[in-house]
Amino acid sequence: MIFIIGGACQGKTVYAKENFGESYQIINQYHLQVKEQLKEGKEPLTEAENLLQEKENCIIISDEIGYGLVPTDRFERLYRETSGRVNCYFASQAKQVIRVISGIGIRIK
């Protein structure tokens, strides 16, 4: 699995398609799946573990949402923290971790 992270609208999906072509399944905007899982009462970390058991040859793309102001809304704080923990899990399991900034990928693992 390859994990691509970065801020919103930084070119992560384009980078994945240009550099890895069609040899990988792209799972885009995983941070939004974390939000939906929380709303549904699911455990996002368990869901992430299950995903990796099912799909080994994939690229997971997620926004980094932990930078900036801490939300005042309780759910949004939980979402922010959980998304960060899921991103840490994916990074620990990935064979490559790439951070994309302004369309430029920087391999950090």
Side-chain angles (χ1 to χ4, degrees):
M1 181 265 289
I2 297 171
F3 185 48
I4 298 179
I5 59 171
C9 305
Q10 291 294 308
K12 298 178 294 294
T13 305
V14 171
Y15 179 87
K17 289 178 181 177
E18 288 179 353
N19 289 278
F20 299 102
E22 297 183 20
S23 57
Y24 289 87
Q25 176 187 2
I26 296 176
I27 301 169
N28 202 1
Q29 296 188 322
Y30 196 82
H31 61 285
L32 296 178
Q33 291 185 37
V34 169
K35 184 177 255 188
E36 288 304 311
Q37 291 162 0
L38 285 170
K39 286 180 180 179
E40 295 170 2
K42 296 179 180 177
E43 174 50 54
L45 194 53
T46 301
E47 296 294 320
E49 291 168 351
N50 293 340
L51 174 68
L52 292 188
Q53 289 177 358
E54 295 172 11
K55 301 183 185 297
E56 294 178 13
N57 199 30
C58 67
I59 297 173
I60 298 173
I61 301 172
S62 182
D63 282 5
E64 294 177 302
I65 60 169
Y67 294 115
L69 299 173
V70 177
T72 57
D73 180 77
R74 183 178 177 272
F75 176 80
E76 290 298 321
R77 284 193 310 273
L78 175 64
Y79 162 56
R80 178 180 190 244
E81 180 177 332
T82 304
S83 179
R85 292 184 190 281
V86 169
N87 284 353
C88 288
Y89 170 72
F90 283 144
S92 74
Q93 300 300 305
K95 63 182 173 184
Q96 287 185 58
V97 178
I98 300 166
R99 183 162 193 245
V100 177
I101 305 167
S102 299
I104 298 170
I106 302 164
R107 185 173 175 176
I108 56 177
K109 176 182 177 186

